[in-house]
């Protein structure tokens, strides 16, 4: 409503999917992870594109993301990562979702809340997060399989990405997964789908493909490492972060003295953008933050407000109320890159996408559908 928007390129999503699919054996399924509203790019729109490309299913951490995918008309399986509680059972059944189960306790509570429970068993291979320990998982699989109304569709893990992780940890985790699967087979309860590869795994550990992979960041163009074992050329799905000039004025003496804040000058032309920290721009305006207007770089002035940012338009006399200002992306000869913004904001690429807010309109390019 304040003239700010994100431009999302669905061709980039399509391209990234094809890059991945080209590396995978045909029997390996792709469950695209679209958590955090498809990494800010819109879970529904991204799921629609990936469905048309041949994805096998989706994985999300929030019911809202699952709802967005169903609203886009996608009927493929959706796995809910840990996070939902049995109080949400009616919604989960209505949306036809597959839940994650990590313990016997969880299994019993879900069973009591649902007519039919479709589940993936989650195993923790050393991430110290959700998931049954490798020691417990055999018993859990046996108990889940003993119930006629519980359908165990798969078993999965998320490879540890703790700051203390070492390169050798990946092979240790794969060995633990293989032992779990072997044990399950011996018990006669090995589920049809075993999965453990997120972006890092799928690009660097082809031996972890198993039956399916569930990368996420990869689809919006974020490789997790520089020289992956499976070389890919990914494209950023986020093309621009744009805002409009919602006010322009030349400061005069009737306002009183200009504030003693770096960048403010008597007689300057001040612009106001319809975007602020409530819209994902950092609360503490980074020193050196700029935006592009009229094909020129101009400086943002502190402080940042919930719904507004200030910009020094003194060197852009043609700037007018309503003009587009680019905070990330290209305008004319100027470009503010994803790397520049991530560095300025003190985050990494995934963190940059994590700043995207659901209430900001997304304009999609590269697709004939509208969202
Ligand atoms: C987030 C997540 C993924 C995807 O991770 P990326 O690094 O975005 O590829 C896969 N599996 C699980 C369980 C996750 O939580």
């Amino acid at each position: 409503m304040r003239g700010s928007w994100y431009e999302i390129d669905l061709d980039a999503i399509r391209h990234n999917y094809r890059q991945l699919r080209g590396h995978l054996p045909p029997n390996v399924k792709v469950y695209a992870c679209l958590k955090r509203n498809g990494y800010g790019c819109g879970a529904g729109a991204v799921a629609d594109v990936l469905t048309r490309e041949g994805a096998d299913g989706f994985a999300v951490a929030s019911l809202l993301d699952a709802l967005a995918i169903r609203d886009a008309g996608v009927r493929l399986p959706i796995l809910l990562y840990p996070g939902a509680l049995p109080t949400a059972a009616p919604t989960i059944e209505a949306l036809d979702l597959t839940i994650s189960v990590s313990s016997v306790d969880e299994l019993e509570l879900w069973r009591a809340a649902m007519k039919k429970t479709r589940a993936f068993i989650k195993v923790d291979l050393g991430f110290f997060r959700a998931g049954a320990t490798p020691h417990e998982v055999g018993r859990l699989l046996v108990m889940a399989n003993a119930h006629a109304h519980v359908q165990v569709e798969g078993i999965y893990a998320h490879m540890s990405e703790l700051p203390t992780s070492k390169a050798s940890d990946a092979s240790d985790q794969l060995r633990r997964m293989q032992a779990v699967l072997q044990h399950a087979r011996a018990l006669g309860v090995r589920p049809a789908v075993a999965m453990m590869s997120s972006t890092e795994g799928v690009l660097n550990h082809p031996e972890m493909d198993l039956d399916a992979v569930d990368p996420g960041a990869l689809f919006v163009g974020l490789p997790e490492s520089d020289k992956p074992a499976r070389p890919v050329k990914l494209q950023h799905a986020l093309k621009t972060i744009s805002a409009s000039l919602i006010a322009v004025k030349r400061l005069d003496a009737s306002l009183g003295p200009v504030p003693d804040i770096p960048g403010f000058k008597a007689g300057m032309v001040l612009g106001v953008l319809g975007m602020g920290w409530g819209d994902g721009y950092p609360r503490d305006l980074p020193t050196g933050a700029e935006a592009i207007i009229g094909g020129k770089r101009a400086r943002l002035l502190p402080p940042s407000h919930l719904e507004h940012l200030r910009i020094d338009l003194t060197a852009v006399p043609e700037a007018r109320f309503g003009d587009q200002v680019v905070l990330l992306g290209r305008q004319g000869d100027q470009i503010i890159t994803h790397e520049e913004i991530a560095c300025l904001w003190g985050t990494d690429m995934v963190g940059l996408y994590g700043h995207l807010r659901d209430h900001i309109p997304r304009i999609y390019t590269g697709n004939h559908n509208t969202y």
Side-chain angles (χ1 to χ4, degrees), residues 251-259 266-267:
L251 305 189
D252 63 39
S254 69
L255 281 164
V258 293

Side-chain angles (χ1 to χ4, degrees), residues 200-214:
E200 165 67 15
V202 83
L203 292 183
N204 286 304
H205 301 284
E207 69 281 9
M208 288 183 184
D209 287 348
L210 306 178
D211 306 304
V213 296
D214 61 338

Side-chain angles (χ1 to χ4, degrees), residues 33 35 39 81 122 129 156-158 161 198-200 214-218 224:
C33 168
K35 59 192 183 187
Y39 297 75
Y81 290 147
K122 184 160 194 191
R129 236 170 51 168
Y156 77 107
H158 191 192
E161 293 168 38
S198 56
T199 298
E200 165 67 15
D214 61 338
L218 178 148
E224 305 269 301

